[in-house]
PDB file of all heavy atoms in Angstrom:
ATOM      1  N   GLU A   1      -0.824   8.917 -16.886  1.00  0.00           N
ATOM      2  CA  GLU A   1       0.570   8.451 -17.202  1.00  0.00           C
ATOM      3  C   GLU A   1       1.151   7.733 -16.023  1.00  0.00           C
ATOM      4  O   GLU A   1       1.179   8.272 -14.894  1.00  0.00           O
ATOM      5  CB  GLU A   1       1.362   9.741 -17.511  1.00  0.00           C
ATOM      6  CG  GLU A   1       2.778   9.448 -17.793  1.00  0.00           C
ATOM      7  CD  GLU A   1       3.560  10.719 -18.048  1.00  0.00           C
ATOM      8  OE1 GLU A   1       3.018  11.786 -18.256  1.00  0.00           O
ATOM      9  OE2 GLU A   1       4.812  10.678 -18.076  1.00  0.00           O
ATOM     10  N   SER A   2       1.463   6.457 -16.220  1.00  0.00           N
ATOM     11  CA  SER A   2       1.964   5.582 -15.103  1.00  0.00           C
ATOM     12  C   SER A   2       0.962   5.555 -13.957  1.00  0.00           C
ATOM     13  O   SER A   2       1.325   5.790 -12.804  1.00  0.00           O
ATOM     14  CB  SER A   2       3.334   6.068 -14.571  1.00  0.00           C
ATOM     15  OG  SER A   2       4.294   6.158 -15.671  1.00  0.00           O
ATOM     16  N   PRO A   3      -0.224   5.034 -14.270  1.00  0.00           N
ATOM     17  CA  PRO A   3      -1.242   5.009 -13.231  1.00  0.00           C
ATOM     18  C   PRO A   3      -1.283   3.767 -12.398  1.00  0.00           C
ATOM     19  O   PRO A   3      -0.533   2.839 -12.692  1.00  0.00           O
ATOM     20  CB  PRO A   3      -2.593   5.146 -14.060  1.00  0.00           C
ATOM     21  CG  PRO A   3      -2.262   4.339 -15.281  1.00  0.00           C
ATOM     22  CD  PRO A   3      -0.783   4.692 -15.573  1.00  0.00           C
ATOM     23  N   TYR A   4      -2.183   3.671 -11.485  1.00  0.00           N
ATOM     24  CA  TYR A   4      -2.440   2.537 -10.575  1.00  0.00           C
ATOM     25  C   TYR A   4      -3.914   2.427 -10.468  1.00  0.00           C
ATOM     26  O   TYR A   4      -4.715   3.293 -10.842  1.00  0.00           O
ATOM     27  CB  TYR A   4      -1.732   2.753  -9.205  1.00  0.00           C
ATOM     28  CG  TYR A   4      -2.102   4.103  -8.614  1.00  0.00           C
ATOM     29  CD1 TYR A   4      -3.213   4.203  -7.816  1.00  0.00           C
ATOM     30  CD2 TYR A   4      -1.372   5.239  -8.910  1.00  0.00           C
ATOM     31  CE1 TYR A   4      -3.577   5.414  -7.215  1.00  0.00           C
ATOM     32  CE2 TYR A   4      -1.700   6.485  -8.396  1.00  0.00           C
ATOM     33  CZ  TYR A   4      -2.816   6.582  -7.551  1.00  0.00           C
ATOM     34  OH  TYR A   4      -3.155   7.758  -7.023  1.00  0.00           O
ATOM     35  N   THR A   5      -4.366   1.349  -9.870  1.00  0.00           N
ATOM     36  CA  THR A   5      -5.854   1.171  -9.712  1.00  0.00           C
ATOM     37  C   THR A   5      -6.346   1.939  -8.471  1.00  0.00           C
ATOM     38  O   THR A   5      -7.353   2.659  -8.624  1.00  0.00           O
ATOM     39  CB  THR A   5      -6.108  -0.310  -9.519  1.00  0.00           C
ATOM     40  OG1 THR A   5      -5.210  -0.855  -8.524  1.00  0.00           O
ATOM     41  CG2 THR A   5      -5.927  -1.119 -10.797  1.00  0.00           C
ATOM     42  N   ASN A   6      -5.733   1.834  -7.438  1.00  0.00           N
ATOM     43  CA  ASN A   6      -5.976   2.488  -6.177  1.00  0.00           C
ATOM     44  C   ASN A   6      -4.796   2.531  -5.319  1.00  0.00           C
ATOM     45  O   ASN A   6      -3.849   1.738  -5.532  1.00  0.00           O
ATOM     46  CB  ASN A   6      -7.207   1.895  -5.398  1.00  0.00           C
ATOM     47  CG  ASN A   6      -6.961   0.477  -5.052  1.00  0.00           C
ATOM     48  OD1 ASN A   6      -6.154   0.075  -4.221  1.00  0.00           O
ATOM     49  ND2 ASN A   6      -7.704  -0.467  -5.695  1.00  0.00           N
ATOM     50  N   ILE A   7      -4.748   3.414  -4.326  1.00  0.00           N
ATOM     51  CA  ILE A   7      -3.466   3.599  -3.616  1.00  0.00           C
ATOM     52  C   ILE A   7      -3.125   2.367  -2.730  1.00  0.00           C
ATOM     53  O   ILE A   7      -1.955   2.081  -2.596  1.00  0.00           O
ATOM     54  CB  ILE A   7      -3.603   4.891  -2.700  1.00  0.00           C
ATOM     55  CG1 ILE A   7      -2.199   5.402  -2.323  1.00  0.00           C
ATOM     56  CG2 ILE A   7      -4.393   4.657  -1.434  1.00  0.00           C
ATOM     57  CD1 ILE A   7      -1.380   5.979  -3.470  1.00  0.00           C
ATOM     58  N   ARG A   8      -4.104   1.585  -2.314  1.00  0.00           N
ATOM     59  CA  ARG A   8      -3.742   0.415  -1.539  1.00  0.00           C
ATOM     60  C   ARG A   8      -3.037  -0.601  -2.392  1.00  0.00           C
ATOM     61  O   ARG A   8      -1.978  -1.184  -2.007  1.00  0.00           O
ATOM     62  CB  ARG A   8      -5.026  -0.178  -0.910  1.00  0.00           C
ATOM     63  CG  ARG A   8      -4.725  -1.418  -0.073  1.00  0.00           C
ATOM     64  CD  ARG A   8      -6.092  -2.091   0.379  1.00  0.00           C
ATOM     65  NE  ARG A   8      -5.760  -3.297   1.177  1.00  0.00           N
ATOM     66  CZ  ARG A   8      -5.567  -3.298   2.441  1.00  0.00           C
ATOM     67  NH1 ARG A   8      -5.532  -2.187   3.142  1.00  0.00           N
ATOM     68  NH2 ARG A   8      -5.308  -4.486   3.028  1.00  0.00           N
ATOM     69  N   GLU A   9      -3.525  -0.803  -3.596  1.00  0.00           N
ATOM     70  CA  GLU A   9      -2.917  -1.756  -4.514  1.00  0.00           C
ATOM     71  C   GLU A   9      -1.574  -1.227  -4.975  1.00  0.00           C
ATOM     72  O   GLU A   9      -0.634  -2.061  -5.137  1.00  0.00           O
ATOM     73  CB  GLU A   9      -3.882  -2.060  -5.727  1.00  0.00           C
ATOM     74  CG  GLU A   9      -3.422  -3.283  -6.465  1.00  0.00           C
ATOM     75  CD  GLU A   9      -4.457  -3.824  -7.423  1.00  0.00           C
ATOM     76  OE1 GLU A   9      -5.519  -3.174  -7.628  1.00  0.00           O
ATOM     77  OE2 GLU A   9      -4.210  -4.891  -8.020  1.00  0.00           O
ATOM     78  N   ALA A  10      -1.411   0.076  -5.228  1.00  0.00           N
ATOM     79  CA  ALA A  10      -0.176   0.572  -5.558  1.00  0.00           C
ATOM     80  C   ALA A  10       0.848   0.397  -4.490  1.00  0.00           C
ATOM     81  O   ALA A  10       1.959  -0.089  -4.785  1.00  0.00           O
ATOM     82  CB  ALA A  10      -0.304   2.061  -5.923  1.00  0.00           C
ATOM     83  N   ALA A  11       0.539   0.647  -3.198  1.00  0.00           N
ATOM     84  CA  ALA A  11       1.414   0.470  -2.137  1.00  0.00           C
ATOM     85  C   ALA A  11       1.814  -0.995  -1.977  1.00  0.00           C
ATOM     86  O   ALA A  11       2.946  -1.254  -1.617  1.00  0.00           O
ATOM     87  CB  ALA A  11       0.792   1.075  -0.867  1.00  0.00           C
ATOM     88  N   ALA A  12       0.976  -1.901  -2.300  1.00  0.00           N
ATOM     89  CA  ALA A  12       1.260  -3.244  -2.119  1.00  0.00           C
ATOM     90  C   ALA A  12       2.204  -3.775  -3.252  1.00  0.00           C
ATOM     91  O   ALA A  12       2.824  -4.838  -3.171  1.00  0.00           O
ATOM     92  CB  ALA A  12      -0.033  -4.067  -2.277  1.00  0.00           C
ATOM     93  N   HIS A  13       2.342  -3.002  -4.354  1.00  0.00           N
ATOM     94  CA  HIS A  13       3.178  -3.422  -5.483  1.00  0.00           C
ATOM     95  C   HIS A  13       4.353  -2.569  -5.718  1.00  0.00           C
ATOM     96  O   HIS A  13       5.256  -3.005  -6.609  1.00  0.00           O
ATOM     97  CB  HIS A  13       2.354  -3.515  -6.743  1.00  0.00           C
ATOM     98  CG  HIS A  13       1.370  -4.622  -6.759  1.00  0.00           C
ATOM     99  ND1 HIS A  13       0.135  -4.517  -6.190  1.00  0.00           N
ATOM    100  CD2 HIS A  13       1.552  -5.953  -7.200  1.00  0.00           C
ATOM    101  CE1 HIS A  13      -0.521  -5.671  -6.344  1.00  0.00           C
ATOM    102  NE2 HIS A  13       0.298  -6.486  -6.919  1.00  0.00           N
ATOM    103  N   ILE A  14       4.573  -1.410  -5.146  1.00  0.00           N
ATOM    104  CA  ILE A  14       5.753  -0.674  -5.387  1.00  0.00           C
ATOM    105  C   ILE A  14       7.003  -1.349  -4.827  1.00  0.00           C
ATOM    106  O   ILE A  14       6.937  -2.009  -3.805  1.00  0.00           O
ATOM    107  CB  ILE A  14       5.631   0.798  -4.852  1.00  0.00           C
ATOM    108  CG1 ILE A  14       5.410   0.821  -3.323  1.00  0.00           C
ATOM    109  CG2 ILE A  14       4.595   1.518  -5.636  1.00  0.00           C
ATOM    110  CD1 ILE A  14       5.438   2.238  -2.772  1.00  0.00           C
ATOM    111  N   PRO A  15       8.120  -1.283  -5.490  1.00  0.00           N
ATOM    112  CA  PRO A  15       9.331  -2.025  -5.135  1.00  0.00           C
ATOM    113  C   PRO A  15       9.793  -1.799  -3.672  1.00  0.00           C
ATOM    114  O   PRO A  15      10.315  -2.667  -3.057  1.00  0.00           O
ATOM    115  CB  PRO A  15      10.345  -1.631  -6.190  1.00  0.00           C
ATOM    116  CG  PRO A  15       9.575  -1.199  -7.281  1.00  0.00           C
ATOM    117  CD  PRO A  15       8.293  -0.585  -6.780  1.00  0.00           C
ATOM    118  N   ILE A  16       9.650  -0.562  -3.174  1.00  0.00           N
ATOM    119  CA  ILE A  16      10.147  -0.226  -1.913  1.00  0.00           C
ATOM    120  C   ILE A  16       9.477  -1.060  -0.781  1.00  0.00           C
ATOM    121  O   ILE A  16      10.046  -1.320   0.291  1.00  0.00           O
ATOM    122  CB  ILE A  16      10.025   1.278  -1.603  1.00  0.00           C
ATOM    123  CG1 ILE A  16      10.880   1.632  -0.434  1.00  0.00           C
ATOM    124  CG2 ILE A  16       8.599   1.665  -1.324  1.00  0.00           C
ATOM    125  CD1 ILE A  16      11.139   3.176  -0.296  1.00  0.00           C
ATOM    126  N   THR A  17       8.295  -1.630  -1.046  1.00  0.00           N
ATOM    127  CA  THR A  17       7.601  -2.431  -0.022  1.00  0.00           C
ATOM    128  C   THR A  17       7.979  -3.889  -0.125  1.00  0.00           C
ATOM    129  O   THR A  17       7.505  -4.671   0.689  1.00  0.00           O
ATOM    130  CB  THR A  17       6.085  -2.195  -0.131  1.00  0.00           C
ATOM    131  OG1 THR A  17       5.565  -2.734  -1.362  1.00  0.00           O
ATOM    132  CG2 THR A  17       5.680  -0.757   0.056  1.00  0.00           C
ATOM    133  N   THR A  18       8.739  -4.302  -1.131  1.00  0.00           N
ATOM    134  CA  THR A  18       9.019  -5.671  -1.330  1.00  0.00           C
ATOM    135  C   THR A  18       9.478  -6.417  -0.055  1.00  0.00           C
ATOM    136  O   THR A  18       9.022  -7.464   0.275  1.00  0.00           O
ATOM    137  CB  THR A  18      10.086  -5.854  -2.495  1.00  0.00           C
ATOM    138  OG1 THR A  18       9.544  -5.244  -3.663  1.00  0.00           O
ATOM    139  CG2 THR A  18      10.294  -7.358  -2.753  1.00  0.00           C
ATOM    140  N   ILE A  19      10.496  -5.843   0.575  1.00  0.00           N
ATOM    141  CA  ILE A  19      11.063  -6.454   1.797  1.00  0.00           C
ATOM    142  C   ILE A  19      10.005  -6.536   2.922  1.00  0.00           C
ATOM    143  O   ILE A  19      10.097  -7.465   3.737  1.00  0.00           O
ATOM    144  CB  ILE A  19      12.370  -5.699   2.188  1.00  0.00           C
ATOM    145  CG1 ILE A  19      13.126  -6.546   3.239  1.00  0.00           C
ATOM    146  CG2 ILE A  19      11.987  -4.390   2.746  1.00  0.00           C
ATOM    147  CD1 ILE A  19      14.541  -6.204   3.477  1.00  0.00           C
ATOM    148  N   TYR A  20       9.181  -5.556   3.030  1.00  0.00           N
ATOM    149  CA  TYR A  20       8.179  -5.499   4.098  1.00  0.00           C
ATOM    150  C   TYR A  20       7.011  -6.487   3.974  1.00  0.00           C
ATOM    151  O   TYR A  20       6.388  -6.865   4.937  1.00  0.00           O
ATOM    152  CB  TYR A  20       7.638  -4.102   4.352  1.00  0.00           C
ATOM    153  CG  TYR A  20       8.873  -3.130   4.667  1.00  0.00           C
ATOM    154  CD1 TYR A  20       9.278  -2.166   3.640  1.00  0.00           C
ATOM    155  CD2 TYR A  20       9.509  -3.137   5.867  1.00  0.00           C
ATOM    156  CE1 TYR A  20      10.270  -1.398   3.935  1.00  0.00           C
ATOM    157  CE2 TYR A  20      10.607  -2.267   6.075  1.00  0.00           C
ATOM    158  CZ  TYR A  20      10.929  -1.331   5.116  1.00  0.00           C
ATOM    159  OH  TYR A  20      11.990  -0.574   5.404  1.00  0.00           O
ATOM    160  N   ARG A  21       6.761  -6.845   2.669  1.00  0.00           N
ATOM    161  CA  ARG A  21       5.593  -7.677   2.398  1.00  0.00           C
ATOM    162  C   ARG A  21       5.663  -9.018   3.097  1.00  0.00           C
ATOM    163  O   ARG A  21       4.651  -9.635   3.391  1.00  0.00           O
ATOM    164  CB  ARG A  21       5.451  -7.957   0.935  1.00  0.00           C
ATOM    165  CG  ARG A  21       4.977  -6.637   0.180  1.00  0.00           C
ATOM    166  CD  ARG A  21       4.893  -6.934  -1.285  1.00  0.00           C
ATOM    167  NE  ARG A  21       5.287  -5.767  -2.033  1.00  0.00           N
ATOM    168  CZ  ARG A  21       5.835  -5.782  -3.197  1.00  0.00           C
ATOM    169  NH1 ARG A  21       5.933  -6.908  -3.879  1.00  0.00           N
ATOM    170  NH2 ARG A  21       6.147  -4.628  -3.789  1.00  0.00           N
ATOM    171  N   GLN A  22       6.791  -9.482   3.341  1.00  0.00           N
ATOM    172  CA  GLN A  22       6.976 -10.800   3.998  1.00  0.00           C
ATOM    173  C   GLN A  22       6.733 -10.787   5.488  1.00  0.00           C
ATOM    174  O   GLN A  22       6.552 -11.866   6.117  1.00  0.00           O
ATOM    175  CB  GLN A  22       8.404 -11.405   3.762  1.00  0.00           C
ATOM    176  CG  GLN A  22       9.545 -10.506   4.374  1.00  0.00           C
ATOM    177  CD  GLN A  22      10.922 -10.969   3.908  1.00  0.00           C
ATOM    178  OE1 GLN A  22      11.097 -12.094   3.771  1.00  0.00           O
ATOM    179  NE2 GLN A  22      11.817  -9.959   3.807  1.00  0.00           N
ATOM    180  N   PHE A  23       6.688  -9.680   6.117  1.00  0.00           N
ATOM    181  CA  PHE A  23       6.469  -9.588   7.526  1.00  0.00           C
ATOM    182  C   PHE A  23       5.012  -9.598   7.862  1.00  0.00           C
ATOM    183  O   PHE A  23       4.146  -8.966   7.213  1.00  0.00           O
ATOM    184  CB  PHE A  23       7.133  -8.277   8.117  1.00  0.00           C
ATOM    185  CG  PHE A  23       8.592  -8.300   8.002  1.00  0.00           C
ATOM    186  CD1 PHE A  23       9.229  -7.345   7.204  1.00  0.00           C
ATOM    187  CD2 PHE A  23       9.360  -9.181   8.688  1.00  0.00           C
ATOM    188  CE1 PHE A  23      10.669  -7.378   7.067  1.00  0.00           C
ATOM    189  CE2 PHE A  23      10.783  -9.124   8.651  1.00  0.00           C
ATOM    190  CZ  PHE A  23      11.364  -8.258   7.790  1.00  0.00           C
ATOM    191  N   PRO A  24       4.644 -10.209   9.000  1.00  0.00           N
ATOM    192  CA  PRO A  24       3.261 -10.156   9.447  1.00  0.00           C
ATOM    193  C   PRO A  24       2.910  -8.766   9.789  1.00  0.00           C
ATOM    194  O   PRO A  24       3.668  -8.013  10.284  1.00  0.00           O
ATOM    195  CB  PRO A  24       3.283 -11.088  10.721  1.00  0.00           C
ATOM    196  CG  PRO A  24       4.605 -11.683  10.821  1.00  0.00           C
ATOM    197  CD  PRO A  24       5.528 -11.060   9.869  1.00  0.00           C
ATOM    198  N   GLY A  25       1.636  -8.424   9.477  1.00  0.00           N
ATOM    199  CA  GLY A  25       1.190  -7.100   9.759  1.00  0.00           C
ATOM    200  C   GLY A  25       1.455  -6.077   8.683  1.00  0.00           C
ATOM    201  O   GLY A  25       1.057  -4.932   8.857  1.00  0.00           O
ATOM    202  N   PHE A  26       2.049  -6.480   7.589  1.00  0.00           N
ATOM    203  CA  PHE A  26       2.294  -5.546   6.425  1.00  0.00           C
ATOM    204  C   PHE A  26       0.935  -4.872   6.060  1.00  0.00           C
ATOM    205  O   PHE A  26       0.907  -3.682   5.913  1.00  0.00           O
ATOM    206  CB  PHE A  26       2.949  -6.236   5.309  1.00  0.00           C
ATOM    207  CG  PHE A  26       3.046  -5.411   4.068  1.00  0.00           C
ATOM    208  CD1 PHE A  26       3.922  -4.372   3.945  1.00  0.00           C
ATOM    209  CD2 PHE A  26       2.205  -5.609   3.008  1.00  0.00           C
ATOM    210  CE1 PHE A  26       3.971  -3.523   2.850  1.00  0.00           C
ATOM    211  CE2 PHE A  26       2.265  -4.840   1.844  1.00  0.00           C
ATOM    212  CZ  PHE A  26       3.103  -3.733   1.830  1.00  0.00           C
ATOM    213  N   GLY A  27      -0.032  -5.719   5.840  1.00  0.00           N
ATOM    214  CA  GLY A  27      -1.331  -5.218   5.367  1.00  0.00           C
ATOM    215  C   GLY A  27      -1.894  -4.229   6.387  1.00  0.00           C
ATOM    216  O   GLY A  27      -2.406  -3.148   6.014  1.00  0.00           O
ATOM    217  N   TYR A  28      -1.877  -4.538   7.644  1.00  0.00           N
ATOM    218  CA  TYR A  28      -2.446  -3.693   8.654  1.00  0.00           C
ATOM    219  C   TYR A  28      -1.650  -2.430   8.860  1.00  0.00           C
ATOM    220  O   TYR A  28      -2.199  -1.323   8.821  1.00  0.00           O
ATOM    221  CB  TYR A  28      -2.568  -4.463  10.021  1.00  0.00           C
ATOM    222  CG  TYR A  28      -3.005  -3.594  11.104  1.00  0.00           C
ATOM    223  CD1 TYR A  28      -4.344  -3.203  11.223  1.00  0.00           C
ATOM    224  CD2 TYR A  28      -2.131  -3.083  12.069  1.00  0.00           C
ATOM    225  CE1 TYR A  28      -4.809  -2.335  12.273  1.00  0.00           C
ATOM    226  CE2 TYR A  28      -2.561  -2.244  13.101  1.00  0.00           C
ATOM    227  CZ  TYR A  28      -3.883  -1.890  13.174  1.00  0.00           C
ATOM    228  OH  TYR A  28      -4.222  -1.094  14.198  1.00  0.00           O
ATOM    229  N   PHE A  29      -0.309  -2.580   9.058  1.00  0.00           N
ATOM    230  CA  PHE A  29       0.462  -1.401   9.409  1.00  0.00           C
ATOM    231  C   PHE A  29       0.709  -0.437   8.213  1.00  0.00           C
ATOM    232  O   PHE A  29       0.830   0.703   8.355  1.00  0.00           O
ATOM    233  CB  PHE A  29       1.833  -1.824  10.014  1.00  0.00           C
ATOM    234  CG  PHE A  29       1.665  -2.360  11.422  1.00  0.00           C
ATOM    235  CD1 PHE A  29       1.913  -3.670  11.709  1.00  0.00           C
ATOM    236  CD2 PHE A  29       1.281  -1.496  12.496  1.00  0.00           C
ATOM    237  CE1 PHE A  29       1.816  -4.148  12.938  1.00  0.00           C
ATOM    238  CE2 PHE A  29       1.161  -1.992  13.738  1.00  0.00           C
ATOM    239  CZ  PHE A  29       1.397  -3.336  14.028  1.00  0.00           C
ATOM    240  N   ILE A  30       0.851  -0.965   7.058  1.00  0.00           N
ATOM    241  CA  ILE A  30       1.154  -0.169   5.863  1.00  0.00           C
ATOM    242  C   ILE A  30      -0.063   0.140   5.078  1.00  0.00           C
ATOM    243  O   ILE A  30      -0.483   1.287   4.917  1.00  0.00           O
ATOM    244  CB  ILE A  30       2.229  -0.848   4.954  1.00  0.00           C
ATOM    245  CG1 ILE A  30       3.540  -1.203   5.780  1.00  0.00           C
ATOM    246  CG2 ILE A  30       2.531   0.001   3.759  1.00  0.00           C
ATOM    247  CD1 ILE A  30       4.229   0.020   6.335  1.00  0.00           C
ATOM    248  N   LEU A  31      -0.745  -0.937   4.605  1.00  0.00           N
ATOM    249  CA  LEU A  31      -1.895  -0.755   3.688  1.00  0.00           C
ATOM    250  C   LEU A  31      -3.076  -0.155   4.438  1.00  0.00           C
ATOM    251  O   LEU A  31      -3.743   0.740   3.899  1.00  0.00           O
ATOM    252  CB  LEU A  31      -2.138  -2.023   2.958  1.00  0.00           C
ATOM    253  CG  LEU A  31      -1.028  -2.650   2.181  1.00  0.00           C
ATOM    254  CD1 LEU A  31      -1.463  -3.909   1.522  1.00  0.00           C
ATOM    255  CD2 LEU A  31      -0.455  -1.625   1.174  1.00  0.00           C
ATOM    256  N   ASP A  32      -3.471  -0.648   5.541  1.00  0.00           N
ATOM    257  CA  ASP A  32      -4.601  -0.218   6.239  1.00  0.00           C
ATOM    258  C   ASP A  32      -4.400   1.225   6.800  1.00  0.00           C
ATOM    259  O   ASP A  32      -5.360   1.964   6.947  1.00  0.00           O
ATOM    260  CB  ASP A  32      -5.021  -1.124   7.402  1.00  0.00           C
ATOM    261  CG  ASP A  32      -5.479  -2.439   6.844  1.00  0.00           C
ATOM    262  OD1 ASP A  32      -5.795  -2.580   5.665  1.00  0.00           O
ATOM    263  OD2 ASP A  32      -5.625  -3.387   7.655  1.00  0.00           O
ATOM    264  N   SER A  33      -3.164   1.617   7.084  1.00  0.00           N
ATOM    265  CA  SER A  33      -2.933   2.966   7.570  1.00  0.00           C
ATOM    266  C   SER A  33      -3.271   4.008   6.523  1.00  0.00           C
ATOM    267  O   SER A  33      -3.618   5.085   6.879  1.00  0.00           O
ATOM    268  CB  SER A  33      -1.494   3.100   8.025  1.00  0.00           C
ATOM    269  OG  SER A  33      -0.558   2.990   6.952  1.00  0.00           O
ATOM    270  N   LEU A  34      -3.114   3.640   5.247  1.00  0.00           N
ATOM    271  CA  LEU A  34      -3.562   4.595   4.197  1.00  0.00           C
ATOM    272  C   LEU A  34      -5.011   4.898   4.358  1.00  0.00           C
ATOM    273  O   LEU A  34      -5.495   6.072   4.216  1.00  0.00           O
ATOM    274  CB  LEU A  34      -3.253   4.021   2.817  1.00  0.00           C
ATOM    275  CG  LEU A  34      -1.759   3.886   2.494  1.00  0.00           C
ATOM    276  CD1 LEU A  34      -1.535   2.997   1.188  1.00  0.00           C
ATOM    277  CD2 LEU A  34      -1.107   5.265   2.242  1.00  0.00           C
ATOM    278  N   ALA A  35      -5.786   3.892   4.594  1.00  0.00           N
ATOM    279  CA  ALA A  35      -7.284   4.032   4.645  1.00  0.00           C
ATOM    280  C   ALA A  35      -7.640   4.811   5.911  1.00  0.00           C
ATOM    281  O   ALA A  35      -8.468   5.671   5.948  1.00  0.00           O
ATOM    282  CB  ALA A  35      -8.008   2.663   4.706  1.00  0.00           C
ATOM    283  N   LEU A  36      -6.896   4.600   6.979  1.00  0.00           N
ATOM    284  CA  LEU A  36      -7.102   5.347   8.220  1.00  0.00           C
ATOM    285  C   LEU A  36      -6.858   6.794   8.040  1.00  0.00           C
ATOM    286  O   LEU A  36      -7.450   7.650   8.714  1.00  0.00           O
ATOM    287  CB  LEU A  36      -6.266   4.764   9.384  1.00  0.00           C
ATOM    288  CG  LEU A  36      -6.721   3.333   9.849  1.00  0.00           C
ATOM    289  CD1 LEU A  36      -5.699   2.810  10.827  1.00  0.00           C
ATOM    290  CD2 LEU A  36      -8.020   3.349  10.412  1.00  0.00           C
ATOM    291  N   GLY A  37      -5.902   7.112   7.111  1.00  0.00           N
ATOM    292  CA  GLY A  37      -5.622   8.545   6.787  1.00  0.00           C
ATOM    293  C   GLY A  37      -6.482   9.087   5.651  1.00  0.00           C
ATOM    294  O   GLY A  37      -6.153  10.123   5.064  1.00  0.00           O
ATOM    295  N   ASN A  38      -7.516   8.324   5.352  1.00  0.00           N
ATOM    296  CA  ASN A  38      -8.453   8.796   4.250  1.00  0.00           C
ATOM    297  C   ASN A  38      -7.714   8.894   2.922  1.00  0.00           C
ATOM    298  O   ASN A  38      -7.982   9.831   2.162  1.00  0.00           O
ATOM    299  CB  ASN A  38      -9.273  10.081   4.650  1.00  0.00           C
ATOM    300  CG  ASN A  38     -10.247   9.760   5.621  1.00  0.00           C
ATOM    301  OD1 ASN A  38     -10.957   8.753   5.582  1.00  0.00           O
ATOM    302  ND2 ASN A  38     -10.434  10.645   6.630  1.00  0.00           N
ATOM    303  N   MET A  39      -6.775   8.024   2.640  1.00  0.00           N
ATOM    304  CA  MET A  39      -6.074   8.083   1.367  1.00  0.00           C
ATOM    305  C   MET A  39      -6.502   6.818   0.587  1.00  0.00           C
ATOM    306  O   MET A  39      -6.096   5.682   0.886  1.00  0.00           O
ATOM    307  CB  MET A  39      -4.540   8.036   1.663  1.00  0.00           C
ATOM    308  CG  MET A  39      -4.069   9.172   2.407  1.00  0.00           C
ATOM    309  SD  MET A  39      -4.087  10.779   1.489  1.00  0.00           S
ATOM    310  CE  MET A  39      -2.582  10.669   0.703  1.00  0.00           C
ATOM    311  N   PHE A  40      -7.299   7.013  -0.455  1.00  0.00           N
ATOM    312  CA  PHE A  40      -7.833   5.898  -1.272  1.00  0.00           C
ATOM    313  C   PHE A  40      -7.414   6.037  -2.695  1.00  0.00           C
ATOM    314  O   PHE A  40      -7.142   5.082  -3.376  1.00  0.00           O
ATOM    315  CB  PHE A  40      -9.316   5.815  -1.109  1.00  0.00           C
ATOM    316  CG  PHE A  40      -9.774   5.625   0.316  1.00  0.00           C
ATOM    317  CD1 PHE A  40     -10.269   6.684   1.069  1.00  0.00           C
ATOM    318  CD2 PHE A  40      -9.712   4.356   0.898  1.00  0.00           C
ATOM    319  CE1 PHE A  40     -10.683   6.454   2.337  1.00  0.00           C
ATOM    320  CE2 PHE A  40     -10.180   4.090   2.222  1.00  0.00           C
ATOM    321  CZ  PHE A  40     -10.622   5.217   2.924  1.00  0.00           C
ATOM    322  N   PHE A  41      -7.580   7.242  -3.245  1.00  0.00           N
ATOM    323  CA  PHE A  41      -7.338   7.530  -4.672  1.00  0.00           C
ATOM    324  C   PHE A  41      -7.844   6.359  -5.522  1.00  0.00           C
ATOM    325  O   PHE A  41      -7.083   5.601  -6.268  1.00  0.00           O
ATOM    326  CB  PHE A  41      -5.824   7.739  -4.938  1.00  0.00           C
ATOM    327  CG  PHE A  41      -5.295   8.978  -4.337  1.00  0.00           C
ATOM    328  CD1 PHE A  41      -4.530   8.928  -3.160  1.00  0.00           C
ATOM    329  CD2 PHE A  41      -5.588  10.197  -4.911  1.00  0.00           C
ATOM    330  CE1 PHE A  41      -4.075  10.135  -2.544  1.00  0.00           C
ATOM    331  CE2 PHE A  41      -5.138  11.420  -4.248  1.00  0.00           C
ATOM    332  CZ  PHE A  41      -4.300  11.396  -3.135  1.00  0.00           C
ATOM    333  N   PRO A  42      -9.162   6.109  -5.571  1.00  0.00           N
ATOM    334  CA  PRO A  42      -9.819   4.947  -6.174  1.00  0.00           C
ATOM    335  C   PRO A  42      -9.985   5.118  -7.684  1.00  0.00           C
ATOM    336  O   PRO A  42     -11.098   5.138  -8.133  1.00  0.00           O
ATOM    337  CB  PRO A  42     -11.072   4.875  -5.500  1.00  0.00           C
ATOM    338  CG  PRO A  42     -11.491   6.261  -5.145  1.00  0.00           C
ATOM    339  CD  PRO A  42     -10.105   6.958  -4.853  1.00  0.00           C
ATOM    340  N   SER A  43      -8.905   5.238  -8.434  1.00  0.00           N
ATOM    341  CA  SER A  43      -9.094   5.410  -9.851  1.00  0.00           C
ATOM    342  C   SER A  43      -9.883   4.296 -10.497  1.00  0.00           C
ATOM    343  O   SER A  43     -10.667   4.480 -11.395  1.00  0.00           O
ATOM    344  CB  SER A  43      -7.686   5.450 -10.528  1.00  0.00           C
ATOM    345  OG  SER A  43      -7.074   6.668 -10.285  1.00  0.00           O
TER     346      SER A  43
END
C-alpha cells in the first residue's frame, strides 16, 4: 500500500526534498547517506 521502488528513489521524490534537490550535493549528502547507513529497502 503506497509503495516505492527503493528507498533512494523514494527519498529523491518525496515532496519534503523538493527544495533540497536544487542544491549541489543533494545526491551525496541525502541519497548516498541512506546507502552508507545500510538503508536500501530494494522492493
Side-chain angles (χ1 to χ4, degrees):
E1 181 183 344
S2 303
Y4 51 90
T5 50
N6 58 68
I7 201 69
R8 181 184 178 88
E9 193 165 9
H13 287 91
I14 58 174
I16 198 166
T17 63
T18 303
I19 194 164
Y20 302 107
R21 290 181 217 152
Q22 64 188 325
F23 295 112
F26 171 74
Y28 174 75
F29 289 111
I30 304 298
L31 303 180
D32 292 346
S33 67
L34 293 168
L36 292 173
N38 288 320
M39 299 290 273
F40 300 101
F41 294 103
S43 291

